[in-house]
Amino acid sequence: MNNPLTLMKGLLRAATCALLFALAASVARAEGFKLEAQLIWGANTQTSPDPKHKPVEADVAKKLKSLPFKWSNYFEVNRKQFAVTQSEAKRVSMSADCEITVRQVENETLEVVLYGKGKRVSKIKQTLPKKEMLILAGDAPGFTAWFVMLKQAD
């Protein structure tokens, strides 16, 4: 037979663990889902027309080159870090012509809306695990394109 005191101690431990887990989850939700967004210019030229643009990092270039895009070079225009929560969408201006709205749907699932020159270009709902990238694209004049790449911030 179980001793009532032992049973109470077990229930108290279980309740304490549940409370700590709930507290940790609410702290994580309050901090938000930390993200990094990069505005990227794709072109077939060796350099960007803007000398402030630098080539994207090797892992980003590798990912973009593995996709069915026709550009051979990618340049970072801008980079921003921010956090989103399930309670509200976050609007992030990547440039004068490019904005994104990001909302955490649940855990690692995001809803992202891409705007170019004030007009909605695309909307996607996708899971974004650590070390993965979410890439949205828009048209640009000539033989170029622009992309917004999202990943979890370190």
Side-chain angles (χ1 to χ4, degrees):
M1 281 184 121
N2 285 339
N3 179 344
L5 186 57
T6 304
L7 185 59
M8 285 297 282
K9 284 182 181 178
L11 287 173
L12 185 58
R13 281 189 192 118
T16 302
C17 287
L19 181 62
L20 289 174
F21 180 75
L23 182 61
S26 69
V27 167
R29 279 192 300 273
E31 284 183 3
F33 193 54
K34 295 177 183 171
L35 299 168
E36 178 178 283
Q38 288 183 35
L39 178 58
I40 298 168
W41 187 259
N44 286 325
T45 58
Q46 292 297 317
T47 59
S48 171
D50 187 334
K52 294 179 202 166
H53 299 171
K54 59 185 178 185
V56 296
E57 295 168 338
D59 62 328
V60 176
K62 182 178 177 183
K63 174 69 175 180
L64 289 165
K65 288 178 181 182
S66 74
L67 297 171
F69 299 137
K70 61 181 179 180
W71 298 277
S72 54
N73 295 299
Y74 300 93
F75 304 96
E76 181 181 320
V77 177
N78 194 7
R79 179 188 303 225
K80 298 215 174 157
Q81 290 195 351
F82 59 96
V84 294
T85 63
Q86 289 184 1
S87 61
E88 65 182 271
K90 176 88 172 187
R91 193 164 187 117
V92 180
S93 175
M94 298 302 296
S95 74
D97 293 331
C98 176
E99 289 185 331
I100 55 173
T101 301
V102 184
R103 183 174 69 89
Q104 182 182 13
V105 178
E106 60 181 75
N107 300 325
E108 294 182 334
T109 302
L110 300 175
E111 181 180 86
V112 184
V113 181
L114 176 64
Y115 299 91
K117 296 186 178 180
K119 295 180 182 175
R120 185 171 128 174
V121 175
S122 64
K123 179 179 178 179
I124 188 169
K125 183 176 168 184
Q126 185 173 320
T127 301
L128 183 61
K130 274 254 189 228
K131 308 288 183 197
E132 292 293 318
M133 296 175 205
L134 187 154
I135 298 173
L136 297 105
D139 289 330
F143 297 103
T144 61
W146 53 276
F147 306 87
V148 173
M149 184 278 300
L150 283 169
K151 66 180 180 180
Q152 289 191 38
D154 294 327

